Amino acid sequence: MDRMASGWINGFIGVLIFSGSLPATRVAVMQFDPVFLTVARAAIAGILALGLLIAFREKRPSRRDLISLVVVALGVVVGFPLLTALALQHVTSAHSIVFIGLLPLATAIFGVIRGGERPKPAFWLFSGLGSALVAGFALTQGLTASPVGDLLMLAAIVVCGLGYAEGGRLSRTLGGWQVISWALVLSLPVMVAVAFLYRPASLAEIEPPALIGLAYVSLFSMLIGFIFWYRGLSQGGIAAVGQLQLLQPFFGLALAATLLHEPVTWIMLAVTVAVILCVAGTRRFAR
């Protein structure tokens, strides 16, 4: 299997795993404080990542990699989980999932800035079209319902795109699972301390669905998904493989409707399908 094909396969697996993040967060945030949920998921994943690094006797990253790891940590360990958890107090997961359609554009932009990639002009046309469809949906549906929730989701997309691109760039030299593991470990002391401060008065009152949601976002969304995702970005290219995120709204809406019984309107479906179709054009002109 060539490097490009491997990159797309790994990226696709990562997207599948990430598709469950927002529905799981939506369930968990119903009983967990958003700040606690953010730091707890990072703390749990960080402890597991530390165990992996010790077990495989990985060398510590060089000083020149520390700034990039901090950017990754601020983007995907803290920023995106916290902002989405706050947003999901105002909007449904089905609504917020459509905003994920903006992630490919954000990732591609930062891929150019930080990764040195140069997609063809037609790439930006298709990627911009997908983003415009999502923005149009927000203007006609979301901003009327909850401006705060939509602005939080937009901010989450920006910091996540930066974290994805920076992690994908660093994965070329450091390795995919090593990048997310070191980012989690760097964040671990702060995450553990804040989790202790914001811990629930009693876990006995937390119902199983919320605990399962916490477990999913800690193990899969915060660690396992990134192992595949960063490997895919480093192998297939940040801008190119990043377009696989256009599939995430489709999988996420299906999960929201199936597991949470949230309403999925025909407008949501139409926007999602249209955004997914844009991946054909962006994939062809990504390089």
Side-chain angles (χ1 to χ4, degrees), residues 211-228:
L211 293 173
I212 293 173
L214 173 60
Y216 186 92
V217 296
S218 301
L219 182 60
F220 292 95
S221 305
M222 200 78 267
L223 182 59
I224 296 177
F226 278 104
I227 293 175
F228 291 99

Side-chain angles (χ1 to χ4, degrees), residues 83 86-91 142-143 145-155:
L83 290 169
L86 292 171
L88 287 168
Q89 292 186 316
H90 303 277
V91 298
L143 294 178
S146 177
V148 174
D150 286 340
L151 288 174
L152 286 169
M153 281 303 304
L154 287 173

Side-chain angles (χ1 to χ4, degrees), residues 264-278:
V264 178
T265 66
W266 70 267
I267 296 179
M268 289 182 183
L269 289 175
V271 171
T272 302
V273 171
V275 168
I276 290 172
L277 291 176
C278 290

Side-chain angles (χ1 to χ4, degrees), residues 98-114 117 119-136 154 156-166 229 233 238-249 275 278-279 282-283 286:
V98 182
F99 280 82
I100 301 302
L102 290 170
L103 258 178
L105 180 59
T107 303
I109 291 173
F110 286 115
V112 170
I113 297 173
R114 297 295 302 154
E117 298 187 356
K120 297 178 181 179
F123 167 88
W124 299 108
L125 175 63
F126 285 103
S127 188
L129 177 59
S131 298
L133 289 168
V134 175
L154 287 173
I157 295 307
V158 172
V159 299
C160 189
L162 175 59
Y164 280 173
E166 193 69 21
W229 183 240
L233 291 177
I238 297 170
V241 175
Q243 301 311 302
L244 283 170
Q245 294 167 105
L246 292 172
L247 299 174
Q248 193 167 330
V275 168
C278 290
V279 75
T282 56
R283 182 176 182 271

Side-chain angles (χ1 to χ4, degrees), residues 162-276:
L162 175 59
Y164 280 173
E166 193 69 21
R169 184 190 67 82
L170 191 56
S171 295
R172 297 168 184 169
T173 56
L174 196 60
W177 74 269
Q178 291 91 337
V179 167
I180 188 58
S181 294
W182 283 117
L184 287 166
V185 169
L186 283 176
S187 310
L188 187 56
V190 175
M191 296 298 103
V192 170
V194 178
F196 180 79
L197 291 175
Y198 282 85
R199 69 190 187 280
S202 174
L203 288 177
E205 300 178 358
I206 305 298
E207 298 178 359
L211 293 173
I212 293 173
L214 173 60
Y216 186 92
V217 296
S218 301
L219 182 60
F220 292 95
S221 305
M222 200 78 267
L223 182 59
I224 296 177
F226 278 104
I227 293 175
F228 291 99
W229 183 240
Y230 279 151
R231 184 185 301 167
L233 291 177
S234 65
Q235 291 176 331
I238 297 170
V241 175
Q243 301 311 302
L244 283 170
Q245 294 167 105
L246 292 172
L247 299 174
Q248 193 167 330
F250 175 80
F251 297 127
L253 287 173
L255 286 172
T258 303
L259 300 179
L260 303 181
H261 306 292
E262 292 185 356
V264 178
T265 66
W266 70 267
I267 296 179
M268 289 182 183
L269 289 175
V271 171
T272 302
V273 171
V275 168
I276 290 172

Side-chain angles (χ1 to χ4, degrees), residues 9-113:
I9 291 174
N10 280 304
F12 181 76
I13 295 173
V15 167
L16 280 178
I17 294 173
F18 290 151
S19 296
S21 298
L22 289 179
T25 300
R26 174 69 173 174
V27 172
V29 82
M30 290 179 179
Q31 292 194 286
F32 286 115
D33 178 86
V35 175
F36 172 78
L37 180 63
T38 300
V39 296
R41 65 188 279 182
I44 294 170
I47 293 171
L48 294 174
L50 180 60
L52 287 174
L53 292 170
I54 293 174
F56 287 97
R57 299 180 180 179
E58 289 293 320
K59 295 181 180 180
R60 287 182 295 180
S62 63
R63 289 184 178 180
R64 68 175 182 272
D65 293 333
L66 289 179
I67 295 178
S68 292
L69 288 171
V70 169
V71 171
V72 172
L74 291 176
V76 303
V77 176
V78 180
F80 184 75
L82 177 59
L83 290 169
T84 52
L86 292 171
L88 287 168
Q89 292 186 316
H90 303 277
V91 298
T92 67
S93 62
H95 178 86
S96 64
I97 283 167
V98 182
F99 280 82
I100 301 302
L102 290 170
L103 258 178
L105 180 59
T107 303
I109 291 173
F110 286 115
V112 170
I113 297 173

